[in-house]
Amino acid sequence: LGENLQEITAVSYALVELLKPFDWASAFMPVLPKKMLDFVLCPVPFVAGIVTSNVKAIENDYRTLMAMESGLSILNLKTNVLQITSEKGVHKLLSVDPMLREQLDSLSKRINHLAEVSPDSALRDFSTFIEKGLTPHESLTLGSMSRVLERYFTRFCGELAANSMAWKQYGTVKVSTGHYSFQPDWLIQTLQAERDFQDAVIHTQLFSSYVHGQRQSQLELDELRKGEPGRFIAQWVYEKWYSKHGRKSHPTTATGDNNIAAK
């Protein structure tokens, strides 16, 4: 929901893109005319964008309020506020994995930093984005956010993500028509069995020792990064990167970029 047609369209497509490895299989309307607002009461899942000069009026429309009680969520691009549906049980399902939240928060801070340090950043203005596109650092960071989400969603697929033939184990094929019928409960049973075994392993001393070992390795790596070897590696990576792109390094800039690379 917003005032700019280009932004609404881009965000609508971006939301669908962020569902990887899944493909959106229901109604998709990058721009929904205001006169068709009744559509938000439609019982099928949908992604839709609405361009309006009066965002508040759409948010407070009785049809919007009714739809929010039964599954509709609204992303307001004018205020940058996401309103989650009040449908019962949804908020519990949306409890974000702590590790996922930490990764996304870190990347979000990086995006904000990139937007602040460059007055001409495409992250500040959508028109600039269309005209000039993203810098390599901006593109890399946004790509990282997309990959983080894709890895998270892929975990839901279990063996299906790693084995292209695993679908055979979780469905039936009608010989006469060749129609395949997916059986969700079969996959859930497999995932639950793995979850039960994982639960047992996590409570062992073996797993506890593994966690402590991971922590110790991270502490040693952090110490290395702070010392002379870390600065040397960062300087080497920096020089190689700038050499490949045909640029001359600057000692001051190198130090700043190296600090980022070493973290």
Side-chain angles (χ1 to χ4, degrees):
L1 187 61
E3 299 177 339
N4 185 287
L5 174 61
Q6 289 81 7
E7 287 184 358
I8 289 293
T9 305
V11 171
S12 296
Y13 277 97
L15 286 174
V16 173
E17 184 71 13
L18 290 175
L19 291 175
K20 287 181 177 180
F22 309 111
D23 294 323
W24 183 251
S26 192
F28 176 65
M29 289 161 290
V31 180
L32 178 69
K34 286 185 291 184
K35 62 182 180 180
M36 293 180 60
L37 188 59
D38 284 344
F39 181 81
V40 300
L41 297 170
C42 180
V44 302
F46 65 86
V47 173
I50 297 180
V51 182
T52 175
S53 58
N54 193 343
V55 174
K56 203 68 178 177
I58 298 295
E59 288 183 321
N60 294 329
D61 189 282
Y62 75 94
R63 291 164 292 187
T64 303
L65 297 176
M66 287 178 60
M68 290 198 68
E69 295 178 357
S70 56
L72 178 69
S73 295
I74 298 177
L75 175 59
N76 187 325
L77 298 182
K78 183 178 180 180
T79 60
N80 292 324
V81 173
L82 172 64
Q83 299 181 58
I84 300 296
T85 177
S86 56
E87 183 178 4
K88 185 178 180 180
V90 172
H91 281 265
K92 183 179 179 180
L93 291 174
L94 294 179
S95 298
V96 179
D97 178 275
M99 182 62 71
L100 175 64
R101 181 183 295 276
E102 181 179 343
Q103 290 177 313
L104 292 177
D105 284 347
S106 176
L107 290 168
S108 179
K109 290 177 181 177
R110 176 63 173 157
I111 284 292
N112 290 334
H113 170 74
L114 292 172
E116 290 173 0
V117 297
S118 175
D120 299 326
S121 172
L123 299 172
R124 289 171 169 264
D125 180 71
F126 192 77
S127 298
T128 304
F129 167 72
I130 295 296
E131 181 182 350
K132 299 181 179 179
L134 300 169
T135 67
H137 283 155
E138 292 168 349
S139 181
L140 179 63
T141 306
L142 289 175
S144 295
M145 296 182 93
S146 176
R147 287 188 291 274
V148 166
L149 287 171
E150 183 174 354
R151 285 196 298 268
Y152 179 74
F153 288 139
T154 299
R155 290 165 48 188
F156 301 157
C157 302
E159 186 183 2
L160 289 167
N163 183 356
S164 61
M165 301 299 288
W167 57 270
K168 294 182 177 181
Q169 305 174 39
Y170 305 112
T172 58
V173 178
K174 191 172 182 179
V175 178
S176 60
T177 62
H179 175 72
Y180 174 78
S181 179
F182 173 57
Q183 303 295 322
D185 288 343
W186 296 4
L187 177 59
I188 291 173
Q189 290 172 6
T190 300
L191 295 176
Q192 186 60 52
E194 293 176 353
R195 179 66 180 83
D196 293 341
F197 180 69
Q198 182 184 36
D199 185 82
V201 171
I202 288 175
H203 286 88
T204 64
Q205 182 62 39
L206 182 71
F207 195 86
S208 178
S209 297
Y210 169 77
V211 174
H212 283 288
Q214 291 289 91
R215 176 179 181 273
Q216 185 59 38
S217 296
Q218 184 62 52
L219 292 175
E220 293 174 356
L221 182 59
D222 289 343
E223 189 63 31
L224 178 64
R225 285 171 171 169
K226 294 177 183 177
E228 188 61 34
R231 286 192 291 271
F232 174 80
I233 293 173
Q235 181 66 31
W236 182 84
V237 171
Y238 170 81
E239 295 293 346
K240 286 291 183 180
W241 189 91
Y242 267 76
S243 174
K244 181 178 180 180
H245 289 77
R247 303 175 182 177
K248 294 182 179 180
S249 62
H250 188 283
T252 302
T253 307
T255 302
D257 280 2
N258 290 342
N259 288 337
I260 293 173
K263 291 181 181 178

